[in-house]
């Protein structure tokens, strides 16, 4: 069996005008994960990521830390949903910038509600695919790995696609995927064992590269 490592991007720029850029810490998290893979002797036969800058930058950091040179395959189906569009679907009025603890809590309360309604088909965020199409995009990437690979594969994506992939493997409902999504840590690693016929969950949302006390304050969620 092969092993698929699902990695969420490093810390992005939450609250900034352009979220889709890694912060300085996000870059360090990514390189640190690459160093961990190198020290563990984990090398990849293939890499997949979406088209988002934070996903690409995370792979570049991992590649730098690990010393691995691979041409990644680009899969748009691994892109994250548009969180602003999800929130507007249930709260059309503009929200304050998430600069206070209460504004951050409000952001994620509305995001959870919007994701659930999108999954139920009772809200359709503007400019986004249907939830079924989103799931199909994630499944296409999983199928590609299952049918074309046999060793270690790295998939760099975002919380939504990774939680969706795990929920698909576990045959869990969309609500479970939403709750998992909102708890996935930056550069958190989930592992799936795979064969030509199926994927099986081995671990979820671990940060072994940050377990040393020197990196305790590197653990983030945004």
């Amino acid at each position: 069996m092969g092993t698929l490592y699902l990695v969420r991007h490093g810390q992005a720029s939450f609250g900034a005008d352009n979220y889709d850029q890694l912060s300085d810490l996000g870059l360090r998290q990514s390189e640190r994960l690459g160093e961990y893979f190198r020290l563990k002797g984990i090398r990849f036969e293939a890499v997949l990521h979406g088209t988002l800058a934070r996903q690409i930058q995370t792979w570049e950091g991992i590649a730098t830390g690990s010393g691995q040179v691979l041409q990644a395959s680009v899969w748009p189906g691994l892109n994250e949903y548009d969180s602003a569009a999800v929130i507007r679907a249930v709260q059309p009025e503009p929200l304050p910038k998430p600069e206070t603890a209460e504004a951050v809590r409000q952001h994620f309360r509305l995001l959870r509600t919007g994701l659930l309604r999108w999954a139920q088909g009772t809200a359709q965020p503007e400019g986004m695919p249907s939830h079924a199409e989103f799931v199909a995009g994630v499944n296409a990437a999983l199928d590609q790995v299952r049918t074309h690979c046999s060793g270690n594969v790295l998939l760099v994506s975002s919380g939504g696609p990774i939680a969706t992939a795990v929920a698909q493997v576990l045959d869990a409902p969309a609500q479970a995927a939403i709750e998992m999504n909102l708890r996935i840590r930056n550069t958190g690693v989930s592992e799936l064992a795979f064969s030509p016929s199926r994927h099986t969950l081995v671990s979820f949302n671990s940060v072994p590269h940050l377990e040393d006390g020197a990196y305790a304050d590197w653990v983030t969620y945004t």
Side-chain angles (χ1 to χ4, degrees):
M1 298 184 80
T3 300
L4 174 60
Y5 294 84
L6 303 142
V7 173
R8 187 190 176 204
H9 61 78
Q11 184 190 59
S13 300
F14 184 70
D17 291 338
N18 181 14
Y19 173 73
D20 192 26
Q21 293 288 325
L22 290 191
S23 67
D24 289 342
L25 176 56
L27 289 168
R28 296 197 302 273
Q29 290 167 333
S30 304
E31 291 186 11
R32 174 60 188 157
L33 178 55
E35 291 171 0
Y36 170 82
F37 286 140
R38 175 175 54 80
L39 291 170
K40 290 295 183 180
I42 299 171
R43 300 193 65 81
F44 302 106
E45 71 169 73
V47 178
L48 294 78
H49 59 59
T51 68
L52 300 179
R54 59 189 183 272
Q55 299 172 351
I56 297 168
Q57 292 164 357
T58 298
W59 160 236
E60 291 172 346
I62 293 171
T64 297
S66 67
Q68 299 186 56
V69 180
L70 283 171
Q71 181 65 47
S73 296
V74 179
W75 284 78
L78 296 176
N79 286 350
E80 184 64 288
Y81 52 77
D82 181 343
S83 60
V86 170
I87 290 173
R88 283 195 303 270
V90 295
Q91 174 67 36
E93 294 79 14
L95 294 175
K97 287 192 105 176
E99 297 175 337
T100 66
E102 178 52 37
V104 171
R105 285 192 291 269
Q106 181 184 28
H107 172 92
F108 284 104
R109 282 195 299 266
L110 289 169
L111 180 59
R112 179 182 279 105
T113 298
L115 289 171
L116 184 58
R117 290 186 57 189
W118 176 46
Q120 293 171 335
T122 59
Q124 178 53 51
E126 185 178 359
M128 280 177 44
S130 69
H131 186 262
E133 291 168 333
F134 181 81
V135 172
V138 173
N139 279 332
L142 292 179
D143 289 346
Q144 171 71 13
V145 172
R146 182 177 52 78
T147 58
H148 289 81
C149 302
S150 59
N152 293 327
V153 179
L154 177 65
L155 186 156
V156 182
S157 185
S158 300
I162 291 172
T164 297
V166 172
Q168 290 294 296
V169 169
L170 296 177
D171 196 23
Q175 185 167 1
I178 292 167
E179 296 305 322
M180 286 190 286
N181 169 20
L182 296 175
R183 300 308 302 167
I184 297 181
R185 295 173 282 199
N186 294 118
T187 63
V189 181
S190 301
E191 295 178 55
L192 302 179
F194 67 89
S195 69
S197 60
R198 64 174 184 156
H199 291 273
T200 305
L201 181 66
V202 176
S203 68
F204 175 69
N205 194 27
S206 65
V207 284
H209 55 301
L210 304 180
E211 288 177 350
D212 186 304
Y215 303 101
D217 60 351
W218 286 26
V219 178
T220 59
Y221 291 85
T222 59

